[in-house]
Amino acid sequence: MNWIDRLERKYSRFAIKNLTKYLIIGTAFVFIISLFDDFRYIEALLTLEPSLVMKGQIWRLVTFVFVPFVGSFWIIFVLYIFYVFGTALERYWGSFRFNLYYFIGVLAAIVAAFLGEFWGGKVTSEFLYMSIFLAFAYLNPNYELLLFFIIPVKVKYLAWFDVVFTVLSIIFRPETRITALLSFTSFVVFFGKEVFDVYLLPSVKRLDRKRRRKKFKVIVSSVKTPEIVYTCCICGRTSKDHPELKFAYCFKCGSDYEYCQDHLKNHEHVIRR
């Protein structure tokens, strides 16, 4: 049992069920209300600003996850994708593990925000969405998604695009560099060991498997199976001379007497004493 299993046994009752739905509803609400002139600055009150958090605006540690990082038509597509992947992961993992995966990402984003105070940068929910997508793609690489609701494409290809985009963000987007770097935290915690064993050590494992198979073949080839010859006690025919015949023991006579298929049911039973 690993540490995630132990946490789940102790704290599963505290998990937020249907977390994806609440995140989508909150994000959609912020987006819609920001369209009105009286609330067009609401996003500025919800974003994660460490300097303002230190001044007492603690709510920003939570509310930044509801701030949309895209606008216009794209928000519909993003929320739809997040709903599909998020609910699928929650059904597969259960509420506690999904909560843990998501909130590890939130914690990493908060750490990135405070580190960004020294090196410059900002934090949005963009990479939180990407981490959910990356987990789904790893578990369901051949799942087909309708890109823009029209083009069918397997998510494993989009996942590689996700990884490349994140790496490029680390290199060329100073304002999101730290956030992009730490966005892999959830994925590494949940899948890091498995990825390392499967993808980073394949040559060692393949060599080891080849050695084991070669050794096994040598062992098998060196073992000679003794030839068993059956002889019918009535007609004297043997299984070696007549491989087309079937031989068996009579349950009444016992294993000391062997019969061919012609005499198995056509013989005088031997009385055992």
Side-chain angles (χ1 to χ4, degrees):
M1 180 183 295
N2 59 32
W3 65 275
I4 296 179
D5 294 326
R6 291 193 291 270
L7 286 177
E8 185 172 17
R9 291 187 62 181
K10 290 183 179 180
Y11 305 111
S12 59
R13 64 183 182 277
F14 298 112
I16 303 173
K17 296 182 179 180
N18 300 316
L19 176 62
T20 304
K21 294 181 180 178
Y22 295 128
L23 292 171
I24 290 174
I25 292 172
T27 304
F29 175 78
V30 172
F31 174 75
I32 293 172
I33 200 172
S34 65
L35 297 177
F36 297 93
D37 291 338
D38 294 339
F39 299 96
R40 63 180 180 274
Y41 299 114
I42 188 173
E43 292 183 5
L45 298 174
L46 304 178
T47 54
L48 182 54
E49 297 289 344
S51 60
L52 297 178
V53 171
M54 298 299 293
K55 293 179 180 179
Q57 299 183 15
I58 306 297
W59 67 82
R60 293 176 180 272
L61 295 174
V62 177
T63 56
F64 81 95
V65 302
F66 299 110
V67 177
F69 60 90
V70 293
S72 186
F73 166 80
W74 294 105
I75 189 64
I76 299 175
F77 178 72
V78 169
L79 293 182
Y80 166 74
I81 296 298
F82 183 66
Y83 174 79
V84 172
F85 295 159
T87 53
L89 285 175
E90 185 170 358
R91 285 196 301 267
Y92 179 75
W93 277 335
S95 296
F96 178 82
R97 286 176 181 255
F98 179 71
N99 278 221
L100 182 63
Y101 185 91
Y102 182 80
F103 286 119
I104 287 176
V106 171
L107 181 60
I110 293 173
V111 171
F114 279 87
L115 290 177
E117 283 288 284
F118 301 98
W119 292 300
K122 62 179 181 179
V123 171
T124 67
S125 59
E126 175 183 9
F127 292 103
L128 288 174
Y129 281 65
M130 287 188 176
S131 69
I132 296 295
F133 169 71
L134 194 60
F136 180 90
Y138 182 78
L139 294 172
N140 304 274
N142 294 315
Y143 179 85
E144 282 195 351
L145 175 72
L146 290 179
L147 189 62
F148 307 117
F149 306 104
I150 299 174
I151 307 172
V153 59
K154 291 184 178 180
V155 294
K156 61 183 178 182
Y157 303 121
L158 296 177
W160 280 112
F161 176 80
D162 185 356
V163 172
V164 171
F165 176 80
T166 303
V167 172
L168 292 177
S169 296
I170 296 172
I171 299 173
F172 298 110
R173 296 173 64 191
E175 73 279 4
T176 60
R177 180 170 296 161
I178 300 174
T179 308
L181 180 62
L182 294 183
S183 67
F184 290 110
T185 303
S186 297
F187 187 85
V188 171
V189 170
F190 271 65
F191 304 108
K193 185 179 184 303
E194 182 179 339
V195 171
F196 181 80
D197 291 341
V198 175
Y199 295 101
L200 300 183
L201 293 178
S203 58
V204 176
K205 291 194 171 186
R206 279 199 298 268
L207 180 59
D208 184 53
R209 285 196 297 268
K210 287 181 179 179
R211 288 175 178 172
R212 289 200 301 267
R213 284 198 297 266
K214 185 176 181 180
K215 185 178 180 180
F216 179 73
K217 288 180 180 178
V218 172
I219 293 174
V220 172
S221 62
S222 64
V223 177
K224 295 183 179 180
T225 303
E227 183 180 6
I228 300 175
V229 179
Y230 298 98
T231 303
C232 179
C233 63
I234 300 296
C235 64
R237 290 182 294 182
T238 66
S239 58
K240 183 177 181 179
D241 297 331
H242 301 275
E244 75 280 0
L245 296 178
K246 294 181 179 179
F247 293 80
Y249 299 108
C250 174
F251 73 95
K252 289 185 178 181
C253 300
S255 59
D256 293 332
Y257 300 90
E258 301 165 350
Y259 300 94
C260 67
Q261 62 188 42
D262 296 332
H263 296 102
L264 180 60
K265 296 182 180 180
N266 183 24
H267 67 272
E268 184 177 348
H269 295 296
V270 178
I271 301 176
R272 290 176 290 178
R273 295 180 182 179

